[in-house]
Amino acid sequence: MNAVQIRSAEKALSVGTWLIVGGAMLFSILTVTPLMERHSPKGWEWTAPILPLVVDAAVVIVVRLDAVLAGMGGHGGRWPIALRWMTGFMTLALNVADSALKKDLVGAAVHAVAPLLLIVTAETGLAYRRAITTAQAAREAQLKAERAERERAATERREAQERRVREEREHAAQLAREQREHEALIAREQTAREEAMRREERERAEARERAEREARERREQMREQQQAERERLEREAAQRRERDRLEREQEARRQQQERAEREARERAALLAAGPVNEKLPEDKARRVVHASFGEGLPVRAAADLCGWSIGWVSARYQEHRDGAGLVLEGASS
């Protein structure tokens, strides 16, 4: 048998066994439950299906585990055999009990069909599975032996081929070794000549590199000196610019201070004249108003000093205020 036939037989055996087990379980439950209801205490009739279910569950366990063990080529010992026959006889007794109590031989024979079929099917299925396992083991052993024989033949052919290849390779290696020795002798002579030439070339290259390095170092030194001189000149120029800037700032502050002092003296001179009885010329009146505004005098005091009206002086004060605001805006911007 090949693997496909073995799997087909196992499938047919498994399906048939479980169909018989399922039918026997259903028939047993339907047959035994009324009997258990009649023989249960009052109020406990609902427990009638428990006993057939327990017995049938034991049947399922036996059939399933026997199938697994048979498929693995194992044997569970005496206890599985005892459980299998005990559950079979229990199922048979429970199914024929009702008919036997009524002395109905035909009914007992009819109800014994399913349990007997279940017992015989379990034993037969176990035997079939063991036979299938034995056949499958024999098939696997045969295939393994054939595979080992093929591998041995292939190994012998491979070893013979490797031996021929090794002999050819050793012969070729001998020829190649002799050729390499001859070439190595020629190569050593050539290498010696090339080494002498390379040594001379290396010495010339080192001399050139040394000369170039010395020239590069001289150029680098000159560049560093020039850079240092440029930096010194730049520092001196920056110092001169800084001194010129400071001198210009000092001169500007001095001129600004002199101008402020001169304007203060002029304002003092204009304000020292005191109130007048007639209007001063407009340019002089403007200077008086400007001096009064700078000193913070009231509008009326400025009007007394220049002889002009308070409205005119107020307009000039407003002009000075606007001008001061514009100056402040320009300074802030």
Side-chain angles (χ1 to χ4, degrees):
M1 296 177 68
N2 55 28
V4 176
Q5 292 172 337
I6 292 174
R7 286 196 298 271
S8 176
E10 289 180 345
K11 184 176 181 181
L13 178 60
S14 178
V15 172
T17 300
W18 286 111
L19 285 175
I20 294 172
V21 170
M25 288 177 59
L26 179 61
F27 185 78
S28 177
I29 293 172
L30 296 177
T31 301
V32 177
T33 299
L35 175 64
M36 295 304 300
E37 288 178 351
R38 291 195 300 272
H39 290 82
S40 297
K42 188 175 182 180
W44 291 88
E45 292 82 358
W46 59 272
T47 61
I50 295 178
L51 181 60
L53 284 176
V54 171
V55 175
D56 292 338
V59 174
V60 172
I61 293 173
V62 170
V63 172
R64 179 58 182 166
L65 292 182
D66 283 344
V68 174
L69 288 174
M72 296 173 62
H75 193 276
R78 292 175 295 176
W79 285 106
I81 297 174
L83 179 61
R84 186 166 62 250
W85 282 96
M86 184 177 68
T87 53
F89 283 122
M90 285 181 179
T91 304
L92 177 62
L94 290 173
N95 277 271
V96 303
D98 191 24
S99 298
L101 291 174
K102 297 178 181 179
K103 300 184 184 305
D104 184 3
L105 298 180
V106 176
V110 171
H111 285 90
V113 172
L116 291 175
L117 182 61
L118 179 61
I119 294 171
V120 175
T121 300
E123 293 297 328
T124 305
L126 182 59
Y128 278 143
R129 284 193 174 88
R130 288 174 178 171
I132 291 173
T133 302
T134 303
Q136 190 172 7
R139 175 64 177 171
E140 290 178 355
Q142 180 183 359
L143 293 176
K144 185 176 181 180
E146 293 176 356
R147 185 166 56 251
E149 181 63 23
R150 288 195 298 271
E151 291 177 355
R152 187 182 61 78
T155 302
E156 292 178 354
R157 289 194 299 272
R158 186 171 59 253
E159 289 177 353
Q161 180 68 21
E162 290 177 353
R163 187 167 52 253
R164 287 194 299 271
V165 172
R166 185 168 57 252
E167 292 174 355
E168 293 175 357
R169 189 166 55 246
E170 289 175 354
H171 180 67
Q174 178 67 23
L175 295 177
R177 186 165 54 251
E178 295 175 355
Q179 179 68 21
R180 284 197 302 271
E181 291 175 355
H182 178 68
E183 293 176 353
L185 178 61
I186 298 174
R188 283 196 296 273
E189 296 175 355
Q190 180 67 22
T191 302
R193 290 192 296 271
E194 292 177 354
E195 183 64 26
M197 295 175 62
R198 282 196 297 271
R199 187 167 51 252
E200 294 176 358
E201 181 65 23
R202 187 166 53 250
E203 291 175 356
R204 289 194 295 269
E206 290 176 355
R208 286 196 303 270
E209 290 178 357
R210 188 165 51 252
E212 292 176 356
R213 185 170 57 254
E214 292 175 355
R216 187 166 54 252
E217 290 176 354
R218 287 195 298 271
R219 289 194 300 271
E220 185 67 22
Q221 186 176 5
M222 293 178 61
R223 185 163 53 250
E224 291 177 354
Q225 292 176 356
Q226 293 174 358
Q227 180 67 21
E229 182 65 20
R230 283 197 300 272
E231 292 178 353
R232 185 183 63 79
L233 294 176
E234 290 177 356
R235 285 196 300 271
E236 292 178 355
Q239 292 175 358
R240 286 196 300 271
R241 288 194 298 272
E242 183 65 18
R243 286 196 301 270
D244 294 341
R245 184 181 65 79
L246 293 175
E247 291 175 356
R248 288 195 299 272
E249 290 180 354
Q250 291 177 358
E251 180 66 20
R253 284 196 296 271
R254 186 182 61 77
Q255 292 178 0
Q256 184 177 4
Q257 185 177 0
E258 292 177 355
R259 186 166 55 252
E261 291 177 354
R262 187 170 58 253
E263 290 178 354
R265 289 195 298 271
E266 291 178 356
R267 284 198 302 272
L270 291 173
L271 298 177
V276 295
N277 296 325
E278 58 183 9
K279 296 171 59 176
L280 296 176
E282 184 176 355
D283 57 347
K284 187 175 182 180
R286 286 181 177 273
R287 290 198 300 274
V288 171
V289 171
H290 178 68
S292 300
F293 179 80
E295 294 295 329
L297 296 179
V299 175
R300 181 176 294 279
D304 293 339
L305 291 175
C306 67
W308 286 69
S309 65
I310 294 174
W312 185 83
V313 174
S314 297
R316 304 291 80 72
Y317 264 47
Q318 186 61 39
E319 290 177 358
H320 288 306
R321 292 190 190 95
D322 296 340
L326 292 175
V327 170
L328 289 175
E329 290 179 359
S332 63
S333 63

